[in-house]
Amino acid sequence: MKEKALNRLLFIILLFMALVFIFPVFIVLINSFKIRFSIASNPFELPNADTFTGLENYTEGIKNTGFFSAFGWSLFITVFSVAAIVIFTSMTAWYITRVKGFFNNLLYYALVFSMIVPFQMVMFTMSKTANVLGLDNPIGIILIYLGFGAGLSVFMFSGFIKTVPLGIEEAATIDGCNTFQVFWKVVFPILKPTAITVAILNTMWIWNDYLLPYLVIGNDYKTIPIAVQYLKGGYGSVDMGALMAMLVLSIIPVVIFYLLSQKYIIKGVASGAVKG
């Protein structure tokens, strides 16, 4: 009876926490269908006959922000950045874990240390360096995201690889596989749960990131977070209805991606944190 009561209490607490996190998203959703003045005066009120605008906020937001162009750049940068992070950091983690040495240990701890360095400490020097090296474009920012995402990704991959028996790789080598084949045909398929977890975490970060694209590529290649800022009018006025509508549209792709991959995330995080 005590265990059942404890489980019910835990369920109620978790349900409450879930509602707390979902509530702001729900508020954004209902306000995306209301006129702008109603949003300011009654943000928590459901749309009614006087305040409901249908899809007008969505059409205005798409027109005023160039949403489809921004969506294309966000998708391009996110997909290729995440792919680069998953591929290169998984290979790096495998090499660091399997090949022991002072340099590899130093590299591992340097990558782990990079996780605790705030972005604000390096953002100005980073943006200047990106400009000097010609990385202030959609291709160059992919390399920058690879650098910033390497620390956490290598840490998670390394923790999982340490749980993989070395005998599996030795057996593949005996069967005639070279190093490249051992990784891609044996090791990487085993890393699938962690790889998906790394992809989800980095997708949510890169898709929603505003500061790094704004500093590096600016208005030349507007991503969604940058494009949304163009809903501001004169004297600081903001079209709140269109803003809410664009926030809803920007959330949808990440939510869909997360729902399709959610069964892997808990398993991947737990397995990647076993050893570090």
Side-chain angles (χ1 to χ4, degrees):
M1 293 295 293
K2 290 183 178 180
E3 185 177 354
K4 289 183 178 180
L6 183 61
N7 289 336
R8 289 176 182 175
L9 178 61
L10 182 61
F11 174 78
I12 294 172
I13 294 174
L14 293 176
L15 179 62
F16 174 76
M17 293 177 62
L19 293 175
V20 169
F21 280 100
I22 293 174
F23 183 72
V25 179
F26 176 73
I27 294 301
V28 171
L29 179 62
I30 63 173
N31 282 316
S32 67
F33 295 100
K34 293 161 60 176
I35 59 176
R36 67 175 73 177
F37 303 107
S38 176
I39 296 174
S41 59
N42 299 297
F44 303 109
E45 182 181 352
L46 293 174
N48 53 46
D50 296 326
T51 61
F52 182 70
T53 61
L55 298 177
E56 181 179 343
N57 288 331
Y58 288 86
T59 55
E60 285 295 317
I62 291 173
K63 180 178 67 175
N64 294 334
T65 61
F67 179 81
F68 292 114
S69 173
F71 180 87
W73 286 120
S74 289
L75 185 65
F76 173 83
I77 293 172
T78 301
V79 169
F80 285 98
S81 296
V82 172
I85 290 172
V86 171
I87 292 173
F88 290 111
T89 60
S90 61
M91 291 190 292
T92 302
W94 182 58
Y95 179 81
I96 289 175
T97 304
R98 294 304 189 216
V99 181
K100 304 298 181 181
F102 174 78
F103 174 77
N104 289 346
N105 290 333
L106 182 64
L107 177 60
Y108 174 77
Y109 287 112
L111 289 170
V112 172
F113 176 76
S114 69
M115 293 191 296
I116 66 175
V117 178
F119 173 74
Q120 289 77 7
M121 288 184 60
V122 298
M123 62 182 184
F124 292 114
T125 54
M126 180 275 304
S127 58
K128 178 62 177 179
T129 303
N131 179 262
V132 171
L133 298 178
L135 299 177
D136 50 350
N137 55 72
I139 302 296
I141 199 172
I142 293 173
L143 299 177
I144 298 174
Y145 273 124
L146 174 60
F148 279 107
L152 177 62
S153 302
V154 168
F155 175 77
M156 294 185 64
F157 277 122
S158 297
F160 187 85
I161 291 171
K162 290 177 182 179
T163 66
V164 177
L166 185 60
I168 298 176
E169 300 169 30
E170 294 174 344
T173 303
I174 293 173
D175 289 339
C177 293
N178 56 35
T179 303
F180 184 83
Q181 292 172 326
V182 168
F183 178 77
W184 288 111
K185 293 185 177 181
V186 178
V187 177
F188 193 76
I190 299 175
L191 296 178
K192 183 179 178 181
T194 303
I196 294 178
T197 303
V198 169
I200 292 172
L201 296 176
N202 285 287
T203 296
M204 292 189 293
W205 159 50
I206 296 172
W207 182 268
N208 296 314
D209 190 24
Y210 168 78
L211 193 55
L212 182 56
Y214 181 77
L215 291 173
V216 176
I217 58 179
N219 299 327
D220 296 331
Y221 308 95
K222 291 185 294 185
T223 59
I224 290 178
I226 296 175
V228 169
Q229 301 302 311
Y230 281 78
L231 292 172
K232 293 181 178 180
Y235 302 101
S237 64
V238 180
D239 187 347
M240 293 300 296
L243 176 63
M244 297 294 176
M246 294 303 96
L247 291 177
V248 172
L249 292 180
S250 66
I251 290 171
I252 291 175
V254 178
V255 172
I256 293 174
F257 177 69
Y258 179 83
L259 291 177
L260 293 176
S261 309
Q262 63 176 335
K263 64 180 180 179
Y264 298 100
I265 190 167
I266 297 177
K267 182 180 178 181
V269 169
S271 60
V274 172
K275 298 180 180 179

